[in-house]
Amino acid sequence: MTNLTDVGEVELAIGGMTCASCAARIEKKLNRMDGVEATVNYATEKAKVTYSGSIAVSDLIATVEATGYTAQEPTPVAADSTSESGTVEEPDPHRSLRQRLVTTVVLAVPVIAMAMVPAFQFEYWQWLSLTLTAPVVTYAAWPFHKAAWTNARHGAATMDTLISVGTSAAFLWSLWALFFGTAGTPGMTHPFELTIGRSDGAGNIYLEAAAGVTAFILAGRYFEARSKRMAGAALKALLELGAKEVTVVRNGVESTVPIGDLRTGDRFLVRPGEKIATDGTVVEGSSAVDASMLTGESVPVEVVVGDSVAGATLNTSGRLVVEATRVGADTQLARMAQLVEEAQNGKAAAQRLADRISAVFVPVVITLATGTFGFWLGNDAGLSAAFTAGVAVLIIACPCALGLATPTALMVGTGRGAQVGILIKGPEVLETARKVDTVVLDKTGTVTTGQMTLVAVRTGVDENEADALRLAGALENASEHPIARAVAEGAARKVGTLPVPEDFTNVAGLGVQGIVEGHAVLVGRGRLLDEWEIRLPVELERAKEAAEAAGRTAILVAWDGAARAVLEVADAIKETSPEAVRRLRVLGLTPILLTGDNRTVADTVAAEVGITEVIAEVMPEDKADVVKRLQSEGRSVAMVGDGINDAAALAQADLGLAMGTGTDAAIEASDLTLVRGDLRTAADAIRLSRKTLGTIHSNLFWAFLYNVTALPLAAAGLLNPMIAGAAMAFSSVSVVGNSLRLRRFSAQS
C-alpha cells in the first residue's frame, strides 16, 4: 500500500454489503477519520475516498474491515484488457445466490401448500414440513444469519436482522412444539378457527413462515444483485467499442498486431469501413469519418493530412494512414470510460424504504418481544406461556408482506414495462423517477433519426426536379460517403431505379463528378463548381443560404456547364418527437436540448419540437458537466440519449434513459431503456416508474399496518396460529393484488 502525507484519492472495492444501510454505516465510519471524506455507493459496491495527513490506504481498509466488511483497491480497467478472442468467461458472481434461491423455492412451495390447505395435511405432514424447511432455514438463509451476526457485533440492526430473528424464531419454536409439545402428534392439523384466545403454543408450528419469508426475500435479493451488476457492464461496453487489432506500418511493411501492442508514434492503416484504432493524426490520405458515437455530430467529418482523429470512430470512405498520438488509458474513449465510472460512483445510493423502516422497526420489535417475555414471566403466567408470547411477537413481526412489497410490484411493473417497450433496471430507478423535474434530451438519435436524409430539393428556373434527382442520385450511388448515400437513397425513393454512370470520379473533400446519360454532372460543395467556373443563379444562391441558415447541408448539382439544383440533407426529426416533448411537459418536466452540433442546427431542431432551452456545441466529455451544473442548481435531472458520447451524462444524471436503438454503452449506463427508440416512450417510462413506486409505497403501508395491528395481540398472549396465518395470508394477498393492478398500465404512444 502507498503511504501519502499530502492529499490523496483512492477507490476501494467494498465487499459484504447487503443493504443501503450497510453503505451508510461504512461511510459514517470512514468520515469520522481525521482528514477523510468518503462516499460509499451500495449499487456499485465502491467507496471513493479523499484523504490527507498521515492517513494511508491501509488505514482506510482497516477501518472498513473493523466495521465488519471487506475492502481492497480494485484492479484498474484498461482499454486493452479485453481478451483478443473475446471468449474468456468471467465467473458468475450470482451463482451461490441463485443456487440458494432455487433450493428454497423447490422446498418451500410444498411446505406452504401443506400449511395453507387442510386437504394436504396427511397424518405426518408436519414432519415432512420440518424435513423440507430445515435446509431452507440453515443453508439458504445463511447470508441473512451471517449479516445479522455481523450487524449485531457492531450494535446495528437491519432488514437482515429481522429476517434472521423472525425465521429462526419460527423454526426453533416449531422444533420445540414438534418434539416437546403436542404439534408432533400424528394427525395434527391447523384448523381454520377465527378465534382469539391465550395459548401455550405447544401445538403450533410456523414452518411455512420460515420457508416462505426466506424464499421471497432471496428472490428480491437475487434480482437486485443482477441489476446492480449492470453498473460495471457500462465500462465494459465502452471499452469493447474500440478496435481489437490494428494494421501497423513499420519500415514500409504492413502487419496486423493486437491493439495492446500499439505504441505512441506508430503509424497504422485504416481501410474504408474499419474503426480507427486509437487517437492520432492523419499522415496520408483523406476520408469522411463518422464520429457520431463519440461527438454526437450527425454529419461525418472530412479529414485530410494533419487532422486529428479519435479512436473507435469509423472511417467511412477513403484509405488513411494515421500516426498514433495517444494509446491505452490516455485515449478519448478511455477517458470517457473513466467519466462513466466516476459518475456512477458519485451518484448517491438510493435508500431502500424497507431498510429505513427496519432501522426503527427491528429494534422496537426485539425490545417488545423481550418486554413481553419479562412481563408475563413477572406476572406468574409461567415460563411456557411467557416464552410463547415473546416468540409470538417475533413470529408475527416476520416480514412476509414486507418481503413481498417491493419484489412483486417490481416484477409486475417491470414485466408490464417490457411489454410496452420499457426496461427498468432496479428499485432505485423508481424513487428517482418520482423526483425528476428536468429532462435533458440528446439531439442525434434521440430527437432526430441519427441518419442523414434528403429532406428537400430546390431547382433553378425551368429545371426539372426528377432530372436533378436522377442525375445526382446516379453519381452519389457510386460513392461510399454517408451524405452521398442519403442523396442516392432519397433519389431512388422518388424517381425509382437510378442509371449507372458512364464515368465517375471522387474529388476528395469536395464531391463527385462524372458522365450520366451523356451529361457531364457535378455534385458537391461550392468549391467543386468554382473549379469548373460555374456560378450559382440568384434563386439557387438564396436556396443554399436558407438551407445552411436552417442547419442543413446544401449539396449543389450542375450538369452541362450550369448549376441546376440545390439538395438539402439533414438529420431528420423523428415524427413523434414534438408529441413526446408535449407529454414530458404534461408530466411537469422541463425539456432541454443538449447536443454537440452547432447552435444553428440545435435551435432549428428545438423550434420544430417545441423546446425553448438549448445547450449546443458541447464536447462529449462536457455533457456530464452540463448535467452536474443543472443538478447544482437544485434540479433533479433525467437524461435521454443513445450514443457513446451520452454514456457519462446518462450515468451522472439522477435518471438515465437510453434509446434501445443506441449503443450498448449508453444502454448499460442508463437506468431505463426505451426499446423502440420512440421518444414518446420516455414519458411512458416516467409514468410507469412513478406508478410502480406508488404501488410499492402502498404495499409497504399495508404490510406495515398488518405488523402494527397484530403485534399488540401477540404481546397480549392472544396469538391464535390460524388468525396469525390468515392475517399474514391476507396481508400477502393484498400486496400481490395491489401489485397486479400495474398490469393495467397502458402506454400512450
Side-chain angles (χ1 to χ4, degrees):
M1 299 298 173
T2 304
N3 286 287
L4 298 177
T5 56
D6 53 351
V7 176
E9 188 173 275
V10 67
E11 185 181 77
L12 301 177
I14 307 297
M17 293 191 294
T18 58
C19 61
S21 57
C22 296
R25 190 175 311 117
I26 297 170
E27 187 173 301
K28 185 177 180 181
K29 289 284 187 180
L30 287 171
N31 285 324
R32 283 180 177 174
M33 301 174 68
D34 292 334
V36 172
E37 290 185 12
T39 301
V40 181
N41 192 319
Y42 170 56
T44 59
E45 298 182 331
K46 291 180 181 179
K48 188 173 182 179
V49 188
T50 302
Y51 56 96
S52 60
S54 59
I55 297 292
V57 175
S58 56
D59 299 326
L60 301 174
I61 292 176
T63 298
V64 175
E65 291 176 343
T67 312
Y69 305 89
T70 63
Q72 63 181 14
E73 292 183 84
T75 304
V77 179
D80 58 355
S81 62
T82 54
S83 66
E84 294 179 31
S85 63
T87 58
V88 178
E89 294 186 2
E90 296 182 0
D92 184 355
H94 309 316
R95 182 179 179 183
S96 175
L97 183 55
R98 183 168 57 249
Q99 288 176 339
R100 294 178 194 275
L101 175 59
V102 171
T103 300
T104 301
V105 171
V106 170
L107 298 179
V109 168
V111 173
I112 296 172
M114 286 186 289
M116 297 300 176
V117 183
F120 293 161
Q121 295 174 3
F122 57 92
E123 190 172 7
Y124 294 100
W125 71 275
Q126 68 271 46
W127 296 102
L128 177 59
S129 291
L130 176 64
T131 304
L132 295 176
T133 304
V136 174
V137 174
T138 53
Y139 161 70
W142 174 246
F144 304 130
H145 303 320
K146 181 180 179 182
W149 172 245
T150 300
N151 292 328
R153 282 167 45 212
H154 295 87
T158 65
M159 196 73 165
D160 289 312
T161 307
L162 191 56
I163 296 165
S164 177
V165 171
T167 55
S168 297
F171 183 72
L172 293 174
W173 183 255
S174 298
L175 277 181
W176 184 89
L178 285 169
F179 286 98
F180 303 104
T182 60
T185 305
M188 184 277 289
T189 61
H190 276 173
F192 287 100
E193 295 178 359
L194 299 179
T195 59
I196 296 177
R198 192 163 297 149
S199 166
D200 65 1
N204 304 332
I205 61 173
Y206 304 95
L207 295 173
E208 75 282 0
V213 168
T214 303
F216 291 132
I217 303 299
L218 276 176
R221 289 284 170 87
Y222 175 68
F223 291 114
E224 180 181 32
R226 286 188 61 188
S227 68
K228 280 168 56 183
R229 195 183 182 195
M230 295 297 182
L235 296 178
K236 186 176 295 183
L238 277 169
L239 296 172
E240 286 178 352
L241 286 171
K244 301 298 184 292
E245 292 183 332
V246 58
T247 302
V248 297
V249 183
R250 291 171 179 161
N251 300 320
V253 179
E254 296 179 7
S255 60
T256 302
V257 300
I259 188 66
D261 292 344
L262 190 64
R263 298 291 178 261
T264 302
D266 281 346
R267 294 190 174 191
F268 59 92
L269 176 65
V270 190
R271 300 179 182 87
E274 291 183 346
K275 288 180 180 178
I276 296 174
T278 193
D279 297 0
T281 304
V282 177
V283 293
E284 290 182 29
S286 62
S287 181
V289 174
D290 182 359
S292 60
M293 294 172 69
L294 276 177
T295 66
E297 285 281 356
S298 53
V299 180
V301 179
E302 301 283 350
V303 296
V304 295
V305 174
D307 288 341
S308 297
V309 291
T313 56
L314 184 67
N315 178 25
T316 64
S317 51
R319 177 184 183 275
L320 297 175
V321 176
V322 180
E323 182 175 311
T325 56
R326 289 193 293 260
V327 296
D330 295 327
T331 64
Q332 186 175 355
L333 178 65
R335 290 202 306 272
M336 292 186 71
Q338 182 63 27
L339 281 171
V340 172
E341 185 171 25
E342 288 176 358
Q344 287 176 337
N345 289 341
K347 190 193 311 188
Q351 184 76 17
R352 292 285 297 277
L353 186 57
D355 285 313
R356 292 202 296 269
I357 292 175
S358 67
V360 177
F361 186 55
V362 175
V364 168
V365 168
I366 294 175
T367 301
L368 182 59
T370 304
T372 299
F373 174 77
F375 174 81
W376 289 113
L377 190 63
N379 281 275
D380 298 324
L383 180 61
S384 177
F387 190 65
T388 298
V391 172
V393 171
L394 295 176
I395 293 172
I396 205 70
C398 199
C400 184
L402 277 174
L404 278 171
T406 298
T408 55
L410 271 180
M411 184 168 59
V412 178
T414 55
R416 181 58 185 157
Q419 290 177 335
V420 297
I422 302 165
L423 303 182
I424 302 173
K425 287 190 177 177
E428 295 87 357
V429 175
L430 308 176
E431 293 190 38
T432 307
R434 180 186 59 173
K435 304 172 186 175
V436 165
D437 54 35
T438 301
V439 57
V440 176
L441 304 175
D442 171 58
K443 182 186 78 68
T444 306
T446 303
V447 176
T448 65
T449 62
Q451 296 179 343
M452 301 305 289
T453 306
L454 179 64
V455 295
V457 181
R458 312 295 181 191
T459 58
V461 178
D462 298 328
E463 298 295 345
N464 185 282
E465 179 178 314
D467 290 340
L469 285 172
R470 188 177 67 259
L471 297 177
L475 271 190
E476 296 284 48
N477 197 36
S479 173
E480 297 177 345
H481 197 287
I483 293 180
R485 303 308 310 163
V487 171
E489 291 170 5
R493 282 195 301 269
K494 291 191 175 184
V495 301
T497 304
L498 300 173
V500 178
E502 300 157 31
D503 183 39
F504 171 82
T505 302
N506 181 48
V507 184
L510 296 181
V512 293
Q513 61 190 45
I515 306 297
V516 182
E517 296 181 341
H519 300 284
V521 184
L522 303 174
V523 183
R525 298 185 176 185
R527 284 171 51 199
L528 179 62
L529 272 64
D530 291 341
E531 289 187 0
W532 288 82
E533 297 183 351
I534 297 175
R535 299 183 63 82
L536 286 178
V538 174
E539 66 273 12
L540 293 186
E541 183 66 43
R542 289 174 179 168
K544 174 177 175 293
E545 291 173 355
E548 292 173 345
R552 297 174 176 177
T553 300
I555 302 167
L556 310 182
V557 184
W559 66 84
D560 297 340
R564 315 275 184 167
V566 174
L567 308 181
E568 297 182 19
V569 174
D571 182 8
I573 293 172
K574 294 179 181 178
E575 294 181 359
T576 57
S577 291
E579 173 64 14
V581 171
R582 186 193 68 80
R583 292 182 184 180
L584 290 170
R585 289 189 183 279
V586 169
L587 289 172
L589 304 174
T590 302
I592 298 175
L593 187 68
L594 177 66
T595 179
D597 270 350
N598 64 64
R599 185 79 195 190
T600 301
V601 174
D603 286 341
T604 301
V605 172
E608 289 191 40
V609 299
I611 296 176
T612 56
E613 193 169 345
V614 179
I615 304 173
E617 300 177 12
V618 179
M619 296 298 292
E621 57 269 25
D622 296 333
K623 286 193 173 184
D625 291 334
V626 170
V627 173
K628 286 181 185 177
R629 177 173 61 78
L630 293 171
Q631 290 169 328
S632 69
E633 295 172 0
R635 304 196 198 192
S636 182
V637 180
M639 170 77 189
V640 188
D642 76 324
I644 176 90
N645 59 305
D646 304 317
L650 287 167
Q652 175 62 43
D654 299 288
L655 182 68
L657 297 92
M659 309 298 279
T661 51
T663 64
D664 289 343
I667 292 170
E668 295 293 355
S670 68
D671 303 303
L672 288 162
T673 300
L674 314 178
V675 176
R676 287 177 291 160
D678 185 341
L679 187 57
R680 291 178 299 178
T681 317
D684 291 330
I686 293 174
R687 281 199 307 116
L688 176 60
S689 296
R690 290 177 175 178
K691 195 171 185 65
T692 305
L693 180 64
T695 300
I696 290 175
H697 284 176
S698 59
N699 282 349
L700 289 170
F701 169 78
W702 287 110
F704 192 60
L705 181 66
Y706 154 72
N707 287 113
V708 170
T709 304
L711 276 173
L713 292 176
L718 300 175
L719 180 66
N720 177 287
M722 288 323 298
I723 286 185
M728 184 176 290
F730 174 77
S731 176
S732 300
V733 168
S734 66
V735 162
V736 173
N738 192 38
S739 297
L740 288 174
R741 293 191 305 122
L742 288 168
R743 295 172 62 183
R744 297 200 295 266
F745 176 86
S746 60
Q748 296 179 347
S749 303

